[in-house]
Amino acid sequence: MAPIELSASQEDYLEAIYLIAQEKNAARAKDIAQALKVRASSVTSALRTLSGLGLVNYTPYDLITLTAAGDSLARDIVARHQALNNFLVTVLGVEPAEADKAACRLEHAVSKPILERFIKYAEYVERCPRGGITWESGFGYYCSNNCNDTDCSQCQRPGSHQENS
């Protein structure tokens, strides 16, 4: 069976249902509308589509749950979101609220191999035996101090100021 291709909006609905269900055991249309800041009619339309794809159990005016396939996809979406959010906060030093918004947009576009590199790099930054790797001490320092190839005392490339001292 070919993988289901979902739109970013459909992925957002699955993610919202999953997160609401984690908190309340099941979701209601009004919970989803509130979480996604959309109208109830939009939720109804999306739920019908997702139900037709076999991803949600939906009956009007009843609780909404994910099917096994929907749950699997939702877990993947949530994991992508969390990995990207972690990368943005840990590696790039982005404020958590801004990182969460950006991760929500990025999670729909990043391929699995690229996401795996984000995850591995964030793990490296957190666990590096040299320690102390942060945005502020690395590239962030470079950016905020207007460093260039000839005068950056932080660079360790041949020809940098540190090498010539």
Side-chain angles (χ1 to χ4, degrees), residues 85-106:
N85 188 67
N86 182 53
F87 180 86
L88 294 170
V89 171
T90 303
V91 177
L92 299 183
V94 176
E95 290 297 319
E98 184 180 354
D100 189 59
K101 289 177 189 172
C104 191
R105 291 188 301 271
L106 288 169

Side-chain angles (χ1 to χ4, degrees), residues 7 13 25 30 48 51 55 57 74 76 88 90 96 100 105 114-115 132 135 139 143 160:
S7 69
Y13 276 93
N25 294 326
K30 70 177 184 173
R48 285 184 181 140
S51 178
L55 301 175
N57 298 308
D76 182 59
L88 294 170
T90 303
D100 189 59
R105 291 188 301 271
I114 292 173
L115 180 65
W135 173 256
F139 190 68
C143 293
S160 71

Side-chain angles (χ1 to χ4, degrees), residues 134-152:
T134 64
W135 173 256
E136 290 79 20
S137 70
F139 190 68
Y141 175 88
Y142 177 86
C143 293
S144 65
N145 289 290
N146 297 317
C147 294
N148 63 46
D149 287 347
T150 59
D151 72 354
C152 183

